[in-house]
Amino acid sequence: MQQRFSTDYTEGRAYGRPGQSHDAQLCEVGPGTPCGEFMRRYWHPVWVSSKLGMRPQNLRILGEDLIIFRDGRGRPGLLHPRCAHRGTTLYYGKVDEHGIRCCYHGWQFDVEGRCIDQPCEPQGGLHKNNVRQPWYPLQELYGLVFAYLGPPDRQPVLPRWDILENLGPGEKIFPNSTSGFKAGPDHPLEVLPCNWLQDFENIMDPFHVPILHVSHSGRGELFAPTFAIMPDVTFEYTELGVLYRAHRKLEDGNVLDRISVGMYPNVQSVPDGGSLSPGRSNHMIWRVPIDDTHVCHFSALRVPKDYEGRKRIGEETLWAEMTEEEHQSFPMDYEAQVGQGPITLTSEENLATSDKGIAMLRRRLREQIEIVQNGGDPIGVTFDPSKSVCKVEAGNFYQQSPATA
Ligand code: FES
Ligand SMILES: [Fe+2]
């Protein structure tokens, strides 16, 4: 009889295993890194418009510490925190209609970093035009504040998304910086303490749904029972990224094709998973790297005008209220992704058939990073305002199966 297991009791032991590493080319986002420069060719949401006021806020994005505020005329500003005079932080500055005034000696900067007043200098600063506080441009769209941290001569058009356009009279866009998780100690937004890519890869991982969300979490109120059916999945490259079609034959004889899409550098759309309502997805989610080991989420939802945000469902315990034991008993995406460590160690992974979408997402990401390294413009970037609207393929699409039609 064939022996199924090795009897060598020394095989596979943890002792003496080689050191492991993350994929620096794909994961690290600081200035000057390959992925950091790729990321800097796109606009990223960094704040919710309605939450940005005249009180300066610390913001960290792509490994850079910055100050964000809105001046008294309503213009958003994003500045390097260290004052161009002698370097104290503008976090303690005061904002008025013209800009932000440093707390130490009162130098004042507008939202584009121009020094407009130096009150301790003769005549308010005869040479103030020689000083510029380093700044980045911002734009507001869908109730979110987007920043561009890249080279000025490669600044693309801010993309729009077709599923969020042409609202009817009873509709609105609901912006949010939400993941349902907790705010980190150094950041007012909700933060996942892990690398952005292991968070983003979740979008090309349809097989975790029946396991993590249905079998392990058992929080069926968030996911329709249909998700217990293991899908047939195909993955495809698209104009802007990668998508999957999860194909399920339903008990009523119908067929559901559920399409989710990930677009570079870090944008995704996943159709409704609670009621599996038919039709196109109604939202976009951005997974914005704070630094190499933290990421936060922004979203924009197309909703009825009276929508006020997701409410507690029945007796549901919210994630933030769960005990440690409950987190173990009902793990969700947070536990699985943060459980991969601060930056997952790709060198010790064993990718399998079900990881085809992950492999495709990484392969194209690497290609795009190399395009930027070689002086080109990456996927999805356009400089033509007439081409700013992007198509989003995501949705729940039903058909009657031939047997029941
Ligand atoms: S350090 Fe800011 S004005 Fe002097
Ligand atoms: Fe998930």
Side-chain angles (χ1 to χ4, degrees), residues 202 208 213 333:
N202 189 264
H208 83 278
H213 294 300
D333 289 311

Side-chain angles (χ1 to χ4, degrees), residues 63-266:
E64 291 189 54
D65 288 312
L66 299 162
I67 296 289
I68 190 167
F69 63 96
R70 190 187 291 285
D71 75 12
R73 282 185 269 177
R75 299 175 303 182
L78 185 61
L79 302 180
H80 180 61
R82 290 180 59 80
C83 173
H85 178 216
R86 279 176 37 218
T88 195
T89 172
L90 294 176
Y91 178 73
Y92 298 109
K94 267 203 174 47
V95 175
D96 67 17
E97 63 174 321
H98 303 292
I100 187 166
R101 189 179 291 282
C102 178
C103 69
Y104 209 178
H105 316 94
W107 287 22
Q108 190 178 28
F109 306 99
D110 73 7
V111 293
E112 294 185 345
R114 290 180 202 88
C115 187
I116 52 178
D117 192 23
Q118 294 174 331
C120 306
E121 296 299 304
Q123 299 174 49
L126 292 170
H127 307 292
K128 58 179 178 291
N129 291 343
N130 297 340
V131 174
R132 192 88 183 234
Q133 185 68 18
W135 68 288
Y136 287 121
L138 297 172
Q139 286 192 61
E140 296 186 77
L141 179 66
Y142 305 133
L144 298 171
V145 184
F146 289 80
Y148 176 72
L149 276 66
D153 61 338
R154 307 314 299 162
Q155 180 177 316
V157 171
L158 176 62
R160 310 181 73 98
W161 306 94
D162 66 349
I163 56 173
L164 302 180
E165 295 289 311
N166 303 317
L167 299 185
E171 294 182 301
K172 69 176 180 185
I173 298 294
F174 185 84
N176 213 350
S177 63
T178 182
S179 52
F181 308 132
K182 58 192 173 187
D186 305 322
H187 203 280
L189 301 175
E190 290 161 329
V191 170
L192 276 80
C194 68
N195 183 256
W196 76 277
L197 184 56
Q198 68 207 56
D199 182 37
F200 185 47
E201 285 176 347
N202 189 264
I203 185 61
M204 278 302 119
D205 188 1
F207 293 102
H208 83 278
V209 179
I211 306 299
L212 178 71
H213 294 300
V214 179
S215 169
H216 277 246
S217 302
R219 287 164 63 104
E221 69 274 28
L222 297 178
F223 291 90
T226 302
F227 281 112
I229 303 170
M230 193 63 78
D232 289 329
V233 180
T234 54
F235 297 95
E236 294 169 27
Y237 283 123
T238 68
E239 202 180 323
L240 300 173
V242 190
L243 67 71
Y244 72 73
R245 290 170 204 276
H247 181 83
R248 288 178 170 94
K249 292 194 177 84
L250 308 182
E251 282 178 3
D252 62 6
N254 286 336
V255 170
L256 168 60
D257 271 326
R258 181 176 159 80
I259 299 181
S260 294
V261 56
M263 289 158 286
Y264 295 100
N266 56 348

